[in-house]
């Protein structure tokens, strides 16, 4: 396998425009001859489905929810970046490009990131035209707020519901096409395999989650927009249903998996309340605009926040990173919070928490203004913790939130399997080793509205695709393999529920491949996951039938994939002998505890090729060249 990035030549600012001109086109009359399958209906999937359908392609969209409106994109609360420079504070496409490259610790492709910055300005216009209710100034102009990793205000928002409002815009565009009969919508249907014929993706195998029926669906191209794999840690800010199965089955069918160890820890999550908690709740990064992070100066200080005087408070982000303060990037802010707690200065019953305090902002702006900006977030926090954040500081602690790794894609968003395209969080492409806040929504919509509708035409115009029927041997084989797997899972009849395996896997991943990793912990983790996986396949208990509604079977199927992914993540982290972004190897750090990169040996993308059941995967490398930014030690001080 060879990683061909297909980055166009020429000046960075002209690459995307030149590439669009040079790509092959499908004329409007021919578009209706092509059928595209889209898996996922979050921001990337819904926008891609609607836009490709508008262009004339026949589109089938698959989602395991009962409605696309339930996609996890709604959880991205804080905002969406765009280089509009409405604040006239020095922003530009070039600055957004640079902030994103630097924020990712120089581990992303320059060309992809610059295209993302270019598309950002169009995204806002698109969404405003759809009626997305972005916050506005008194005079009616769109307003912005700041976000981590930037010194300009470029984040557009709709209170604390930005992801939800953007998804509603994409959802309405999709529903319009569904109503016209231009998109065939398959809800409550989960993709469980990719159909690859003669090395080319030609369809998917799917399971109806209400009946258990397994079916095959054929097309001329397949687009995966299935989100990230943060739930490999069990406890994360992701919805419980978020999983890696679609991407993992694509990996096992030949799609290289890029940078799997690059996971993001978000600094502003509600701390874990107990051992039996099933997920964590994110408090939007937008809160760090007006909230100040602090911890007691003294170790073991159990006084309430209101009883700790100002002189005995450590505003640690402002102290360590005076240039960015509370808006330091997520990986840096998370490690700083962990450091405070490791020193015994954490707050709350577990000691795993720091304060996010709005007292100064309420005094300066008034409670009404703060409520207008963050009211729904404050309400959510109070419902979960029974604490009023207007009267006392929030308690926050880092948690797994996003995955920068994903299926490797070239500049056209196509994986190493021809015809298989990957969008949004499911691919590896734009964020390097750490994603800046408010960039996930930007990437999902850029990929769906502006990139894939163009690049997929280039693929279809050149692909010579023979007709394929459901009777094709490879189609039958993929369907039979899916049925056999389901029967195998329900036939084990062990003694442990799938969730208990997931919880154990999460503990291994968090403790040994979480906020800090090292050679010993990663080596042990690979061994522990191998033993857990072996026990799973002989002792998991999946009640019920494979030919009926069976949520226990859904979980077991996904958890089996998570265990294999966990091994690959640890292997990838072990091979990357440097610290960068969210990948913090304790052996590689500066004297003041910051990430220490190794640009000589690791300025590249690591993409893993599946080589068979039980075999060690092959590590492939795509070198990263930096012609427009200077590699430097990342500093926010």
């Amino acid at each position: 396998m060879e990683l061909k990035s297909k980055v166009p030549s020429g000046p960075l600012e002209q690459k995307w425009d030149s590439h669009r001109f040079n790509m092959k086109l499908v004329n409007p009359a021919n578009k209706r001859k092509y059928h595209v399958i889209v898996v996922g209906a979050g921001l990337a999937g819904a926008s891609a489905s609607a836009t490709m359908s508008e262009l004339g392609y026949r589109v089938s969209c698959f989602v395991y929810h009962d409605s696309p409106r339930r996609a996890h994109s709604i959880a991205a609360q804080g905002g969406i970046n765009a280089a509009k420079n409405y604040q006239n504070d020095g922003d530009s496409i070039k600055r957004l490009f640079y902030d994103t490259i630097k924020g990712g610790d120089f581990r992303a492709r320059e060309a992809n990131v610059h295209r993302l910055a270019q598309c950002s300005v169009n995204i806002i216009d698109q969404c405003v035209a759809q009626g997305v209710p972005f916050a506005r100034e008194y005079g009616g102009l769109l307003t912005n707020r700041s976000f981590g990793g930037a010194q300009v205000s470029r984040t557009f928002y709709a209170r604390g519901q930005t992801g939800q409002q953007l998804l509603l815009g994409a959802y309405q565009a999709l529903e319009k096409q569904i109503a016209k009969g231009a998109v065939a919508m398959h809800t409550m249907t989960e993709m469980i395999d990719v159909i690859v014929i003669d090395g080319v993706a030609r369809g998917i195998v799917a399971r109806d989650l209400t009946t258990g029926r397994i079916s095959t669906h054929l097309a001329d191209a397949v687009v995966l927009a299935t989100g990230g794999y943060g739930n490999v840690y069990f406890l994360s800010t992701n919805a419980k249903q978020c999983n890696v199965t679609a991407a993992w089955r694509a990996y096992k069918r030949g799609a290289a998996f890029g940078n799997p160890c690059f996971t993001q820890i978000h600094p502003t999550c509600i701390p874990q309340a107990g051992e039996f908690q099933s997920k964590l709740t994110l408090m939007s990064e937008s809160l760090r605009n007006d909230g100040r992070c602090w911890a007691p100066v003294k170790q073991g200080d159990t006084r309430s926040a209101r009883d700790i005087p100002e002189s005995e408070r450590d505003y640690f982000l402002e102290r360590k990173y005076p240039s960015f303060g509370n808006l330091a990037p997520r990986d840096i802010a998370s490690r700083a919070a962990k450091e405070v707690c490791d020193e015994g200065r954490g707050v709350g019953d577990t000691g795993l928490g720091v304060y996010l305090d709005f007292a100064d902002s309420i005094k300066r702006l008034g409670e009404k203004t703060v409520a207008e900006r963050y009211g729904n977030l404050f309400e959510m926090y109070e419902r979960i913790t029974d604490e009023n954040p207007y009267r006392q500081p929030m308690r926050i602690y880092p948690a797994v939130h996003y995955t920068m790794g994903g299926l490797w894609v070239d500049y056209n968003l196509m994986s190493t399997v021809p015809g298989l395209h990957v969008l949004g969080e499911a691919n590896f492409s734009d964020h390097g080793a750490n994603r800046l806040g408010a960039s996930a929504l930007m990437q999902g919509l850029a990929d769906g509205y502006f990139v894939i509708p163009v690049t997929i035409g280039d693929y279809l115009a050149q692909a010579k695709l023979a007709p394929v029927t459901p009777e094709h041997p490879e189609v039958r084989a993929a369907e039979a393999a899916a049925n056999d797997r389901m029967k195998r899972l329900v036939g084990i009849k062990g003694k442990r529920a799938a969730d208990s395996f997931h919880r154990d896997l999460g503990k291994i991943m968090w403790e040994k491949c979480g906020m800090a990793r090292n050679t010993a912990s990663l080596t042990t983790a690979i061994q522990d996951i191998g033993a857990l996986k072996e026990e799973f396949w002989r002792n998991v208990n999946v009640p019920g039938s494979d030919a009926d509604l069976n949520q226990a079977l859904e979980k077991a199927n996904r958890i089996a994939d998570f265990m294999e992914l966990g091994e690959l993540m640890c292997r990838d982290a072990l091979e990357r002998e440097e610290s960068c972004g969210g990948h913090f190897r304790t052996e590689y750090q500066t004297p003041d505890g910051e990430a220490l990169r190794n640009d000589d040996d690791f300025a590249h993308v690591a993409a893993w090729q599946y080589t068979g059941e039980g075999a060690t995967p092959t590590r492939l490398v795509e070198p990263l060249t930096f012609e427009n930014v200077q590699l430097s030690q990342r500093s926010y001080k």
Side-chain angles (χ1 to χ4, degrees):
M1 183 184 292
E2 187 178 355
L3 302 178
K4 297 180 180 179
S5 66
K6 298 182 181 177
V7 172
S9 59
L12 183 67
E13 296 81 3
Q14 299 173 19
K15 285 183 187 293
W16 178 230
D17 289 337
S18 298
H19 190 58
R20 283 191 296 174
F21 176 76
N22 291 324
M23 280 189 289
K24 302 290 184 183
L25 298 176
V26 179
N27 80 57
N30 283 341
K31 284 189 173 79
R32 68 178 69 96
K33 298 178 182 178
Y34 291 106
H35 180 205
V36 180
I37 284 175
V38 179
V39 184
L43 280 181
S47 59
S49 297
T51 308
M52 288 190 291
S53 173
E54 288 272 10
L55 288 172
Y57 295 110
R58 292 182 292 116
V59 176
S60 295
C61 185
F62 293 78
V63 62
Y64 56 60
H65 295 298
D66 56 357
S67 164
R69 288 182 61 178
R70 292 178 62 85
H72 190 58
S73 298
I74 66 167
Q77 304 153 325
I80 177 170
N81 289 330
K84 284 286 196 181
N85 195 31
Y86 284 166
Q87 304 298 315
N88 196 29
D89 56 0
D91 199 13
S92 63
I93 288 173
K94 186 173 183 178
R95 189 176 295 278
L96 176 53
F97 157 73
Y98 179 74
D99 285 349
T100 305
I101 285 280
K102 177 185 174 183
D105 219 351
F106 304 95
R107 289 295 176 262
R109 229 187 252 147
E110 279 191 340
N112 285 66
V113 176
H114 193 275
R115 176 175 65 188
L116 178 63
Q118 282 180 275
C119 290
S120 71
V121 297
N122 297 326
I123 293 169
I124 302 305
D125 297 339
Q126 169 89 4
C127 295
V128 169
Q130 290 175 331
V132 173
F134 286 121
R136 294 177 180 267
E137 301 284 8
Y138 178 77
L141 299 176
L142 297 183
T143 189
N144 299 111
R145 58 188 176 201
S146 301
F147 247 67
Q151 291 180 304
V152 297
S153 294
R154 64 161 68 100
T155 304
F156 295 78
Y157 64 97
R159 282 185 89 189
Q161 306 171 358
T162 315
Q164 180 176 349
Q165 297 302 326
L166 291 171
L167 183 63
L168 286 173
Y171 167 74
Q172 289 172 107
L174 174 59
E175 284 296 319
K176 177 170 74 73
Q177 295 304 104
I178 294 171
K180 288 171 59 177
V183 174
M185 192 73 216
H186 301 263
T187 57
M188 296 297 291
T189 308
E190 182 173 23
M191 175 196 139
I192 53 177
D193 209 347
V194 182
I195 297 171
V196 178
I197 298 174
D198 297 327
V200 178
R202 297 301 306 270
I204 65 170
V205 181
R207 181 174 183 270
D208 186 316
L209 298 184
T210 59
T211 67
R213 179 176 173 270
I214 288 176
S215 57
T216 57
H217 305 266
L218 302 176
D220 299 299
V222 176
V223 175
L224 299 186
T226 51
Y229 49 87
N231 275 348
V232 69
Y233 289 88
F234 186 72
L235 284 177
S236 82
T237 66
N238 292 184
K240 283 297 289 179
Q241 277 194 302
C242 293
N243 63 81
V244 76
T245 288
W248 194 249
R249 300 305 166 77
Y251 162 72
K252 296 182 86 167
R253 291 289 183 180
F257 209 114
N259 296 333
C261 76
F262 284 172
T263 55
Q264 179 168 82
I265 313 296
H266 198 296
T268 53
C269 299
I270 298 178
Q272 182 178 352
E275 189 65 26
F276 295 100
Q277 194 164 335
S278 61
K279 79 174 298 293
L280 298 171
T281 301
L282 171 69
M283 288 285 99
S284 168
E285 182 172 295
S286 62
L287 294 170
R288 289 199 280 148
N289 272 290
D290 291 307
R292 302 177 70 192
C293 296
W294 64 273
V297 170
K298 300 176 183 177
Q299 292 181 336
D301 193 335
T302 57
R303 290 176 292 174
S304 71
R306 287 170 292 187
D307 294 333
I308 300 176
E310 194 74 13
S311 61
E312 297 181 32
R313 299 180 178 189
D314 176 19
Y315 293 91
F316 54 91
L317 289 178
E318 298 169 33
R319 170 175 56 82
K320 294 185 68 174
Y321 309 103
S323 293
F324 283 74
N326 294 294
L327 289 175
R330 291 174 177 178
D331 58 321
I332 288 173
S334 294
R335 281 197 293 275
K338 180 179 184 295
E339 182 181 293
V340 165
C341 295
D342 289 347
E343 291 171 358
R345 297 192 288 128
V347 302
D349 294 338
T350 63
L352 297 177
V354 296
Y355 288 125
L356 183 61
D357 196 338
F358 291 85
D360 286 355
S361 295
I362 291 172
K363 183 177 179 180
R364 184 179 75 253
L365 302 169
E367 186 173 314
K368 181 181 178 182
T369 299
V370 172
E372 287 173 351
R373 293 179 180 178
Y374 312 112
N376 63 308
L377 299 173
F378 277 43
E379 180 183 347
M380 182 169 68
Y381 180 87
E382 185 170 9
R383 286 186 177 184
I384 291 171
T385 65
D386 199 28
E387 298 172 5
N388 184 343
Y390 294 103
R391 303 288 173 263
Q392 62 191 93
M394 290 183 178
R395 289 176 297 108
I396 58 170
Y397 190 70
V400 173
H401 175 58
Y402 189 89
T403 51
M404 286 76 66
L407 293 180
W408 183 93
V409 292
D410 63 19
Y411 190 70
N412 293 331
L413 302 185
M414 190 159 71
S415 72
T416 51
V417 176
L420 180 66
H421 299 75
V422 191
L423 314 185
E425 191 179 357
N427 75 32
F428 88 102
S429 67
D430 291 4
H431 306 298
N434 173 65
R435 177 177 66 77
L436 291 185
S439 288
L441 301 178
M442 178 173 62
Q443 186 207 353
L445 291 180
D447 286 356
Y449 281 136
F450 299 110
V451 181
I452 194 62
V454 179
T455 60
I456 203 166
D458 182 64
Y459 167 73
L460 293 171
Q462 300 181 74
K464 294 179 171 55
L465 302 173
V468 176
T469 70
E471 309 306 316
H472 191 285
E474 292 295 336
V475 178
R476 288 293 187 89
E479 183 179 11
N483 273 303
D484 290 346
R485 180 181 174 90
M486 297 302 163
K487 293 184 186 303
R488 181 185 176 193
L489 284 166
V490 297
I492 294 172
K493 305 296 183 186
K495 296 181 179 179
R496 288 186 61 182
D499 261 348
S500 72
F501 285 98
H502 196 183
R503 192 181 298 274
D504 285 355
L505 173 65
K507 287 180 180 178
I508 295 170
M509 294 298 296
W510 179 248
E511 292 170 3
K512 298 172 182 176
C513 189
M515 292 185 69
R517 305 103 184 257
N518 57 53
T519 300
S521 73
L522 292 167
T523 303
T524 304
I526 293 170
Q527 296 169 351
D528 291 349
I529 295 170
L532 188 68
K533 182 172 66 172
E534 186 276 329
E535 184 188 354
F536 174 90
W537 283 106
R538 64 175 170 78
N539 197 32
V540 72
N541 182 276
V542 181
S545 164
D546 64 304
D548 204 346
L549 185 152
N550 191 338
Q551 292 185 335
L553 178 57
E554 293 169 34
K555 286 183 182 179
N557 185 47
R558 296 166 184 170
I559 292 164
D561 292 331
F562 273 139
M563 283 192 278
E564 294 181 4
L565 168 68
E567 281 187 299
L568 186 66
M569 290 172 66
C570 294
R571 195 177 299 280
D572 185 48
L574 185 61
E575 292 288 335
R576 186 170 284 275
E577 296 178 342
E578 65 166 352
S579 290
C580 56
H583 169 64
F584 192 75
R585 288 281 296 267
T586 57
E587 309 101 310
Y588 308 102
Q589 54 183 301
T590 63
D592 55 350
E594 303 293 350
L596 182 61
R597 295 196 320 270
N598 178 351
D599 294 330
D600 291 337
D601 299 321
F602 292 98
H604 60 239
V605 176
W608 294 83
Q609 178 185 5
Y610 180 69
T611 54
E613 203 69 39
T616 302
T618 300
R619 187 178 189 268
L620 309 171
V621 167
E622 178 201 339
L624 293 171
T625 56
F626 296 93
E627 301 171 351
N628 299 275
V629 298
Q630 182 178 353
L631 288 168
S632 61
Q633 178 64 38
R634 199 166 53 134
S635 175
Y636 292 90
K637 295 186 177 181

